[in-house]
mmCIF file with all atom_site columns, all heavy atoms in Angstrom:
data_model
loop_
_atom_site.group_PDB
_atom_site.id
_atom_site.type_symbol
_atom_site.label_atom_id
_atom_site.label_alt_id
_atom_site.label_comp_id
_atom_site.label_asym_id
_atom_site.label_entity_id
_atom_site.label_seq_id
_atom_site.pdbx_PDB_ins_code
_atom_site.Cartn_x
_atom_site.Cartn_y
_atom_site.Cartn_z
_atom_site.occupancy
_atom_site.B_iso_or_equiv
_atom_site.pdbx_formal_charge
_atom_site.auth_seq_id
_atom_site.auth_comp_id
_atom_site.auth_asym_id
_atom_site.auth_atom_id
_atom_site.pdbx_PDB_model_num
ATOM 1  N N   . GLU A 1 41 ? -6.689  -73.802 81.989 1.00 83.00 ? 41 GLU A N   1
ATOM 2  C CA  . GLU A 1 41 ? -7.002  -75.205 81.757 1.00 83.00 ? 41 GLU A CA  1
ATOM 3  C C   . GLU A 1 41 ? -6.611  -75.585 80.327 1.00 83.00 ? 41 GLU A C   1
ATOM 4  O O   . GLU A 1 41 ? -6.640  -74.754 79.423 1.00 83.00 ? 41 GLU A O   1
ATOM 5  C CB  . GLU A 1 41 ? -8.497  -75.457 81.962 1.00 83.00 ? 41 GLU A CB  1
ATOM 6  C CG  . GLU A 1 41 ? -8.917  -75.306 83.405 1.00 83.00 ? 41 GLU A CG  1
ATOM 7  C CD  . GLU A 1 41 ? -10.396 -75.595 83.602 1.00 83.00 ? 41 GLU A CD  1
ATOM 8  O OE1 . GLU A 1 41 ? -11.019 -76.209 82.705 1.00 83.00 ? 41 GLU A OE1 1
ATOM 9  O OE2 . GLU A 1 41 ? -10.912 -75.203 84.639 1.00 83.00 ? 41 GLU A OE2 1
ATOM 10 N N   . SER A 1 42 ? -6.266  -76.851 80.153 1.00 84.00 ? 42 SER A N   1
ATOM 11 C CA  . SER A 1 42 ? -5.849  -77.286 78.820 1.00 84.00 ? 42 SER A CA  1
ATOM 12 C C   . SER A 1 42 ? -7.032  -77.245 77.855 1.00 84.00 ? 42 SER A C   1
ATOM 13 O O   . SER A 1 42 ? -8.186  -77.402 78.243 1.00 84.00 ? 42 SER A O   1
ATOM 14 C CB  . SER A 1 42 ? -5.249  -78.688 78.878 1.00 84.00 ? 42 SER A CB  1
ATOM 15 O OG  . SER A 1 42 ? -6.174  -79.601 79.404 1.00 84.00 ? 42 SER A OG  1
ATOM 16 N N   . LYS A 1 43 ? -6.683  -77.034 76.611 1.00 85.00 ? 43 LYS A N   1
ATOM 17 C CA  . LYS A 1 43 ? -7.689  -77.004 75.550 1.00 85.00 ? 43 LYS A CA  1
ATOM 18 C C   . LYS A 1 43 ? -8.022  -78.428 75.140 1.00 85.00 ? 43 LYS A C   1
ATOM 19 O O   . LYS A 1 43 ? -7.403  -79.384 75.599 1.00 85.00 ? 43 LYS A O   1
ATOM 20 C CB  . LYS A 1 43 ? -7.144  -76.217 74.354 1.00 85.00 ? 43 LYS A CB  1
ATOM 21 C CG  . LYS A 1 43 ? -6.807  -74.786 74.695 1.00 85.00 ? 43 LYS A CG  1
ATOM 22 C CD  . LYS A 1 43 ? -6.197  -74.084 73.499 1.00 85.00 ? 43 LYS A CD  1
ATOM 23 C CE  . LYS A 1 43 ? -5.791  -72.675 73.866 1.00 85.00 ? 43 LYS A CE  1
ATOM 24 N NZ  . LYS A 1 43 ? -5.104  -71.988 72.802 1.00 85.00 ? 43 LYS A NZ  1
ATOM 25 N N   . GLU A 1 44 ? -8.972  -78.575 74.253 1.00 89.00 ? 44 GLU A N   1
ATOM 26 C CA  . GLU A 1 44 ? -9.379  -79.907 73.788 1.00 89.00 ? 44 GLU A CA  1
ATOM 27 C C   . GLU A 1 44 ? -8.228  -80.661 73.132 1.00 89.00 ? 44 GLU A C   1
ATOM 28 O O   . GLU A 1 44 ? -8.159  -81.878 73.207 1.00 89.00 ? 44 GLU A O   1
ATOM 29 C CB  . GLU A 1 44 ? -10.565 -79.797 72.827 1.00 89.00 ? 44 GLU A CB  1
ATOM 30 C CG  . GLU A 1 44 ? -11.855 -79.387 73.525 1.00 89.00 ? 44 GLU A CG  1
ATOM 31 C CD  . GLU A 1 44 ? -13.015 -79.300 72.557 1.00 89.00 ? 44 GLU A CD  1
ATOM 32 O OE1 . GLU A 1 44 ? -12.927 -79.805 71.425 1.00 89.00 ? 44 GLU A OE1 1
ATOM 33 O OE2 . GLU A 1 44 ? -14.038 -78.708 72.953 1.00 89.00 ? 44 GLU A OE2 1
ATOM 34 N N   . ASP A 1 45 ? -7.312  -79.925 72.499 1.00 90.00 ? 45 ASP A N   1
ATOM 35 C CA  . ASP A 1 45 ? -6.185  -80.575 71.830 1.00 90.00 ? 45 ASP A CA  1
ATOM 36 C C   . ASP A 1 45 ? -5.040  -80.901 72.810 1.00 90.00 ? 45 ASP A C   1
ATOM 37 O O   . ASP A 1 45 ? -3.999  -81.398 72.402 1.00 90.00 ? 45 ASP A O   1
ATOM 38 C CB  . ASP A 1 45 ? -5.662  -79.730 70.673 1.00 90.00 ? 45 ASP A CB  1
ATOM 39 C CG  . ASP A 1 45 ? -5.134  -78.365 71.106 1.00 90.00 ? 45 ASP A CG  1
ATOM 40 O OD1 . ASP A 1 45 ? -5.142  -78.062 72.319 1.00 90.00 ? 45 ASP A OD1 1
ATOM 41 O OD2 . ASP A 1 45 ? -4.709  -77.604 70.221 1.00 90.00 ? 45 ASP A OD2 1
ATOM 42 N N   . GLY A 1 46 ? -5.245  -80.596 74.107 1.00 87.00 ? 46 GLY A N   1
ATOM 43 C CA  . GLY A 1 46 ? -4.246  -80.917 75.125 1.00 87.00 ? 46 GLY A CA  1
ATOM 44 C C   . GLY A 1 46 ? -3.234  -79.816 75.371 1.00 87.00 ? 46 GLY A C   1
ATOM 45 O O   . GLY A 1 46 ? -2.424  -79.911 76.282 1.00 87.00 ? 46 GLY A O   1
ATOM 46 N N   . LYS A 1 47 ? -3.282  -78.764 74.568 1.00 87.00 ? 47 LYS A N   1
ATOM 47 C CA  . LYS A 1 47 ? -2.341  -77.661 74.748 1.00 87.00 ? 47 LYS A CA  1
ATOM 48 C C   . LYS A 1 47 ? -2.818  -76.737 75.867 1.00 87.00 ? 47 LYS A C   1
ATOM 49 O O   . LYS A 1 47 ? -4.012  -76.608 76.111 1.00 87.00 ? 47 LYS A O   1
ATOM 50 C CB  . LYS A 1 47 ? -2.172  -76.880 73.451 1.00 87.00 ? 47 LYS A CB  1
ATOM 51 C CG  . LYS A 1 47 ? -1.503  -77.678 72.358 1.00 87.00 ? 47 LYS A CG  1
ATOM 52 C CD  . LYS A 1 47 ? -1.269  -76.863 71.122 1.00 87.00 ? 47 LYS A CD  1
ATOM 53 C CE  . LYS A 1 47 ? -0.577  -77.710 70.063 1.00 87.00 ? 47 LYS A CE  1
ATOM 54 N NZ  . LYS A 1 47 ? -0.325  -76.948 68.841 1.00 87.00 ? 47 LYS A NZ  1
ATOM 55 N N   . MET A 1 48 ? -1.852  -76.119 76.533 1.00 85.00 ? 48 MET A N   1
ATOM 56 C CA  . MET A 1 48 ? -2.156  -75.247 77.644 1.00 85.00 ? 48 MET A CA  1
ATOM 57 C C   . MET A 1 48 ? -1.473  -73.905 77.441 1.00 85.00 ? 48 MET A C   1
ATOM 58 O O   . MET A 1 48 ? -0.301  -73.855 77.075 1.00 85.00 ? 48 MET A O   1
ATOM 59 C CB  . MET A 1 48 ? -1.648  -75.901 78.941 1.00 85.00 ? 48 MET A CB  1
ATOM 60 C CG  . MET A 1 48 ? -1.991  -75.167 80.193 1.00 85.00 ? 48 MET A CG  1
ATOM 61 S SD  . MET A 1 48 ? -1.386  -76.026 81.668 1.00 85.00 ? 48 MET A SD  1
ATOM 62 C CE  . MET A 1 48 ? -2.458  -77.439 81.696 1.00 85.00 ? 48 MET A CE  1
ATOM 63 N N   . ASP A 1 49 ? -2.217  -72.831 77.643 1.00 85.00 ? 49 ASP A N   1
ATOM 64 C CA  . ASP A 1 49 ? -1.641  -71.492 77.543 1.00 85.00 ? 49 ASP A CA  1
ATOM 65 C C   . ASP A 1 49 ? -0.931  -71.168 78.850 1.00 85.00 ? 49 ASP A C   1
ATOM 66 O O   . ASP A 1 49 ? -1.525  -71.244 79.923 1.00 85.00 ? 49 ASP A O   1
ATOM 67 C CB  . ASP A 1 49 ? -2.729  -70.448 77.292 1.00 85.00 ? 49 ASP A CB  1
ATOM 68 C CG  . ASP A 1 49 ? -3.335  -70.566 75.908 1.00 85.00 ? 49 ASP A CG  1
ATOM 69 O OD1 . ASP A 1 49 ? -2.626  -71.022 74.990 1.00 85.00 ? 49 ASP A OD1 1
ATOM 70 O OD2 . ASP A 1 49 ? -4.508  -70.202 75.739 1.00 85.00 ? 49 ASP A OD2 1
#
Side-chain angles (χ1 to χ4, degrees):
E41 292 182 17
S42 58
K43 300 177 183 175
E44 290 181 15
D45 62 1
K47 293 184 179 180
M48 185 179 290
D49 291 331

